[in-house]
Amino acid sequence: MTRLFGTNGIRGVVNQDMTNELALGIGKAWGTYLKQRISRPTCAVGTDARLSNHMLKSAITAGLLSTGCNVVDIGLIPTPTLQYTVKQKRFDAGVIITASHNPPQFNGIKGTANDGTELTKDVEETIETIYFSRQYDTSDWGNVGTPSTWDGAIDLYFNGILSRVDTPAIKKQKFHVALDCGNGAGCRTAPILLQKLGCKVTKLNCNLDGTFPGRHSEPIPENLTKLMKKVRENNASFGVALDGDADRAIFIDENGEYIWGDKSLSLVGKYITFEKKGGITVTPVTTSTCFEDVIRQNKGEVVYTKVGSPIVASVMKKNHAVFGGEENGGLIFPEFQYCRDSGMSLAKILEILARENRPLSELIAEIPSYEMFKTKIACPNDKKEHVMNQIVEHMKNKSDVRDIDRTDGVKVYLNHGWVLMRPSGTEPIFRVYVESKEKSKAEQVATAYKNIVRSLIEC
Ligand code: MG
């Protein structure tokens, strides 16, 4: 069966593969799924700032209403604001129209269960099966759903964050933050949240614009050069950049230096496990060893998962984890919600700076540094499974291999670092990640392992 849902919902180019017809069908299928479990479900819908948001929201809303689902429109909001609202307001489901950090011609549909967490693979597959079978549970004329609107989501979200950090300590410091929302949904929340936390805000790309005129939406170094400059020019305490739907936050230190997501994840993990005297933390196998180093220092434990925030969140929930997240700026705070959240990440970094009373660069310098090297190799999709098994067989005989982990692809622990060989879920490629203390070693190992994987693909 064709898969519609990827790692983060359904995505595509608007009016090519992400069409009204698809959104309408997903609305009907989702409504059918919900009605098999609840007699009169209520679903919250929201959107990010893209030009096609109303078009797709209208289509999916029509589909949901046709099955007898009530739909509450909570407006243009970040993804974590929708997720928190669904949980707090006890909606039966939530849907956000967003393509996160993808270019403006893209849009997508992402689902939320009644506890605010992202839909599990099982639920997505059930919705897909209903969609492809067209076995919709359409209501008679008198029982179609009722649409309504609610504009309290953003205040609810602010109150949730402010009650979970040391707001008085943050306010006292009067931080100066350079904020780059990338013209995305974070424009609706981040500037006000920072003001509520007593910060002076220097804004960049903080006007909503679905064409993303200010910068590309992905918060990677080459897209944040203006923010780095802004931090230096304005002597800001630090800078922060959000992606298009504001679930991820990337930080810039007071010197205008980019902080990789591994490091910010480690800083927050270190702080939380210190406060809690240990605890379980969760992150995907791609995260740098610096995270495990700081968690172990505090007698904490790291559980590794496959790549993707829904799996990180569900493993956190199962293990009663104290913290978790991804190396791309997606941090998950279980006391708030089991979803990546830029607002809570921002507030927590402010709390750490307020309590430590030291500059961000100094705190980051205390996190161990590793060199990461990434490369990719072409591999037909139908060969991936076979190649992975071959890799494991090949590695068993190598003397420098300490351990082999099959959580996601094949991760090989060496005496001086690790290599992860992972087939892409969407493209005909194998990704090879290498981490080592030394740059030259990482590059050397990457070349050697790339050659091994290539030879196994070709044989
Ligand atoms: Mg995102």
Side-chain angles (χ1 to χ4, degrees):
M1 193 175 78
T2 320
R3 294 298 319 268
L4 296 172
F5 289 92
T7 318
N8 268 301
I10 305 173
R11 297 233 182 121
V13 174
V14 173
N15 282 346
Q16 287 181 24
D17 30 27
M18 190 70 243
T19 61
N20 273 341
E21 290 78 8
L22 174 62
L24 178 72
I26 291 295
K28 288 181 182 180
W30 205 329
T32 302
Y33 166 84
L34 289 168
K35 263 185 53 199
Q36 285 165 356
R37 286 148 186 88
I38 309 151
S39 63
R40 189 74 172 172
T42 300
C43 181
V45 297
T47 73
D48 73 7
R50 287 162 196 271
L51 302 186
S52 53
N53 58 5
H54 287 290
M55 178 190 104
L56 294 167
K57 181 175 72 180
S58 304
I60 200 161
T61 300
L64 286 160
L65 293 171
S66 75
T67 61
C69 247
N70 297 325
V71 178
V72 183
D73 184 351
I74 63 170
L76 197 166
I77 44 163
T79 298
T81 309
L82 175 118
Q83 290 161 324
Y84 186 68
T85 304
V86 169
K87 182 180 84 151
Q88 293 300 107
K89 295 281 288 176
R90 297 174 184 274
F91 289 123
D92 299 306
V95 53
I96 181 99
I97 304 297
T98 180
S100 184
H101 60 275
N102 287 145
Q105 64 271 30
F106 282 79
N107 212 338
I109 299 168
K110 190 157 141 167
T112 293
N114 62 354
D115 59 356
T117 61
E118 295 175 56
L119 297 184
T120 62
K121 277 275 155 272
D122 296 1
V123 175
E124 288 179 346
E125 279 170 21
T126 310
I127 293 169
E128 280 175 352
T129 307
I130 300 168
Y131 173 84
F132 285 112
S133 72
R134 302 283 193 264
Q135 299 288 308
Y136 303 131
D137 181 4
T138 309
S139 290
D140 61 46
W141 70 271
N143 285 305
V144 294
T146 308
S148 60
T149 57
W150 188 64
D151 63 4
I154 289 178
D155 281 336
L156 183 75
Y157 179 68
F158 287 154
N159 292 337
I161 293 174
L162 295 173
S163 65
R164 285 173 178 87
V165 291
D166 190 348
T167 302
I170 297 170
K171 276 187 172 170
K172 226 162 106 188
Q173 296 280 341
K174 297 189 173 26
F175 288 111
H176 176 184
V177 181
L179 169 69
D180 181 350
C181 290
N183 306 109
C187 297
R188 297 264 285 142
T189 52
I192 306 166
L193 177 67
L194 285 170
Q195 279 162 14
K196 283 180 183 285
L197 287 164
C199 301
K200 178 183 169 190
V201 187
T202 294
K203 294 180 192 171
L204 183 66
N205 306 318
C206 285
N207 56 313
L208 286 167
D209 189 330
T211 64
F212 300 153
R215 63 163 165 90
H216 293 300
S217 194
E218 175 83 332
I220 49 177
E222 51 265 46
N223 296 338
L224 303 185
T225 48
K226 279 187 192 157
L227 176 64
M228 295 181 213
K229 209 168 143 218
K230 204 97 179 163
V231 171
R232 282 190 292 264
E233 281 173 359
N234 291 277
N235 288 321
S237 317
F238 66 91
V240 60
L242 313 180
D243 76 330
D245 66 330
D247 55 354
R248 295 192 280 134
I250 283 288
F251 295 88
I252 307 294
D253 75 15
E254 76 284 1
N255 304 315
E257 294 293 324
Y258 185 93
I259 299 172
W260 289 97
D262 293 298
K263 291 282 178 88
S264 46
L265 179 79
S266 302
L267 175 63
V268 178
K270 180 181 172 182
Y271 175 79
I272 290 176
T273 49
F274 180 77
E275 294 254 296
K276 298 197 182 285
K277 299 184 173 57
I280 293 174
T281 61
V282 181
T283 198
V285 287
T286 43
T287 295
S288 167
T289 311
C290 66
F291 183 69
E292 188 170 329
D293 289 347
V294 297
I295 300 300
R296 280 179 184 273
Q297 275 168 16
N298 289 335
K299 310 264 181 291
E301 192 190 320
V302 180
V303 175
Y304 288 100
T305 67
K306 281 182 189 291
V307 171
S309 63
I311 181 83
V312 175
S314 70
V315 172
M316 282 177 68
K317 209 169 175 184
K318 205 181 295 165
N319 288 282
H320 307 289
V322 295
F323 178 64
E326 299 176 307
E327 83 292 2
N328 57 10
L331 275 51
I332 303 174
F333 300 86
E335 74 276 22
F336 186 51
Q337 60 174 343
Y338 285 98
C339 306
R340 296 183 294 195
D341 196 317
S342 71
M344 190 66 195
S345 307
L346 182 47
K348 193 54 99 174
I349 288 285
L350 285 165
E351 181 185 281
I352 295 171
L353 289 175
R355 290 208 177 144
E356 295 279 335
N357 207 12
R358 287 192 291 152
L360 186 52
S361 65
E362 217 176 288
L363 300 174
I364 291 295
E366 290 171 0
I367 309 286
S369 269
Y370 288 86
E371 293 292 336
M372 177 91 78
F373 199 84
K374 295 178 186 177
T375 182
K376 56 189 176 186
I377 311 160
C379 175
N381 287 334
D382 57 359
K383 266 192 146 182
K384 284 174 176 171
E385 193 59 45
H386 176 69
V387 170
M388 276 209 288
N389 293 333
Q390 292 289 106
I391 293 172
V392 174
E393 283 309 308
H394 188 88
M395 295 303 152
K396 278 180 186 165
N397 308 319
K398 283 180 73 81
S399 59
D400 59 341
V401 171
R402 266 198 305 125
D403 197 10
I404 299 173
D405 179 276
R406 296 288 310 261
T407 303
D408 194 353
V410 185
K411 189 171 183 178
V412 178
Y413 288 92
L414 306 167
N415 292 327
H416 51 75
W418 53 258
V419 186
L420 172 66
M421 291 151 282
R422 191 177 156 262
S424 162
T426 49
E427 297 169 76
I429 54 168
F430 250 89
R431 295 185 196 282
V432 180
Y433 307 72
V434 180
E435 189 182 80
S436 179
K437 272 277 180 196
E438 297 157 44
K439 194 173 182 201
S440 59
K441 191 81 194 167
E443 281 173 6
Q444 188 192 330
V445 173
T447 309
Y449 276 76
K450 192 176 172 179
N451 289 338
I452 294 171
V453 177
R454 187 180 284 135
S455 69
L456 292 171
I457 291 168
E458 284 166 4
C459 77

